[in-house]
Amino acid sequence: MNIFRLAGDMTHLASVLVLLLKIHTIKSCAGVSLKTQELYAIVFTTRYLDIFTDFISLYNTFMKLIFLGSSYSIVWYIRRHKIVRRSYDKNQDTFRHVFLILPCIVLALLINEKLTFKEVLWAFSLYLEAVAILPQLVLLQRTKNIDNLTGQYVFLLGVYRALYIVNWIYRYFTETHFVHWITWISGLVQTLLYADFFYYYFQSWKTNQKLQLPA
Amino acid sequence: KDSKPAKDEL
């Protein structure tokens, strides 16, 4: 494992922990999109089915369990926790799952490495991950005051994606037979979705003002 | 030789 991949995984982990700690300590999920969190729960569930079939490393299995556990915990907090769920604004978080899930199913059936149940699910999880952040970005745009933690959560997720791209470039040149077109293209699309957010994030940081996305 | 890249990423 190279340093970019490890740094990417660590920022991913940090983003999830920031979000979980925010929700757990201030007992509020204001500004957090339940839709995005549910999509991530689906993404991890469909991709990490391989913990039962392939063993890669302890690190790999451990991280998979963490991502599965954290995404389900966040969904649980927003839906079921008696205090947290009161802060969830259903009327702002209106993105429809089905508009993202259905096209991803179709795409996964058409473009996959092999037409098997596992491979189609794997491709589906990558396509869905690429667009899963959209409900969160839409919600950020609607929210007047984005709190620091929600901003940091999205920022860390964006950094994680960017580091994965550097990791693929590194692996392409240092390893033989390392070609995963599906991963790379959907990963690139995913990272581009953060570009706009990054722009405003750095602007607000430079001018020391509260982050606000234009409508 | 294994030509299929391993899915070792998260």
Side-chain angles (χ1 to χ4, degrees):
Chain A
M1 184 161 57
N2 63 66
I3 185 74
F4 308 110
R5 155 81 196 280
L6 182 66
D9 284 351
M10 290 306 119
T11 22
H12 190 188
L13 188 64
S15 72
V16 172
L17 292 181
V18 161
L19 192 60
L20 251 181
L21 279 173
K22 166 196 148 102
I23 294 174
H24 180 80
T25 47
I26 67 175
K27 297 281 183 284
S28 158
C29 64
V32 179
S33 167
L34 174 64
K35 304 294 168 92
T36 285
Q37 296 307 319
E38 288 178 337
L39 291 173
Y40 278 134
I42 298 172
V43 165
F44 295 138
T45 309
T46 47
R47 187 172 320 152
Y48 297 162
L49 280 180
D50 68 353
I51 43 179
F52 298 108
T53 54
D54 305 275
F55 178 76
I56 293 145
S57 64
L58 265 182
Y59 170 83
N60 216 278
T61 306
F62 181 71
M63 293 295 272
K64 283 173 177 171
L65 292 174
I66 297 253
F67 289 131
L68 277 168
S70 57
S71 62
Y72 278 96
S73 315
I74 293 168
V75 170
W76 177 84
Y77 263 114
I78 303 177
R79 279 184 168 274
R80 300 261 180 265
H81 190 280
K82 63 179 193 297
I83 300 168
V84 174
R85 72 179 196 194
R86 279 189 233 143
S87 57
Y88 175 60
D89 191 352
K90 201 164 80 183
N91 301 320
Q92 295 264 41
D93 191 23
T94 50
F95 212 103
R96 301 277 301 275
H97 298 95
V98 65
F99 292 132
L100 296 177
I101 295 174
L102 272 182
C104 290
I105 294 177
V106 175
L107 199 61
L109 285 168
L110 295 173
I111 307 172
N112 48 59
E113 288 191 351
K114 212 172 165 192
L115 197 61
T116 62
F117 181 67
K118 214 176 105 185
E119 289 296 325
V120 169
L121 276 187
W122 180 77
F124 165 77
S125 80
L126 287 164
Y127 301 143
L128 190 62
E129 187 187 357
V131 292
I133 195 66
L134 284 175
Q136 179 65 66
L137 291 176
V138 170
L139 184 60
L140 282 187
Q141 220 164 44
R142 287 182 179 165
T143 315
K144 281 278 168 290
N145 288 307
I146 301 168
D147 69 275
N148 286 333
L149 288 174
T150 312
Q152 270 151 23
Y153 165 69
V154 179
F155 173 73
L156 286 168
L157 271 180
V159 172
Y160 143 62
R161 295 316 309 179
L163 284 164
Y164 253 65
I165 290 184
V166 183
N167 150 60
W168 294 329
I169 296 170
Y170 181 84
R171 291 188 77 169
Y172 181 79
F173 287 109
T174 54
E175 289 173 38
T176 42
H177 309 299
F178 188 74
V179 180
H180 269 308
W181 289 114
I182 293 177
T183 318
W184 295 353
I185 292 168
S186 50
L188 193 63
V189 170
Q190 180 173 183
T191 315
L192 289 175
L193 292 181
Y194 289 91
D196 191 59
F197 171 83
F198 269 137
Y199 175 79
Y200 293 106
Y201 187 88
F202 283 119
Q203 288 283 317
S204 80
W205 181 67
K206 229 168 58 188
T207 56
N208 226 341
Q209 278 169 344
K210 240 183 141 39
L211 176 63
Q212 212 177 330
L213 303 185
Chain B
K1 202 153 70 179
D2 182 22
S3 60
K4 199 165 170 264
K7 292 184 173 118
D8 58 356
E9 290 180 347
L10 294 164

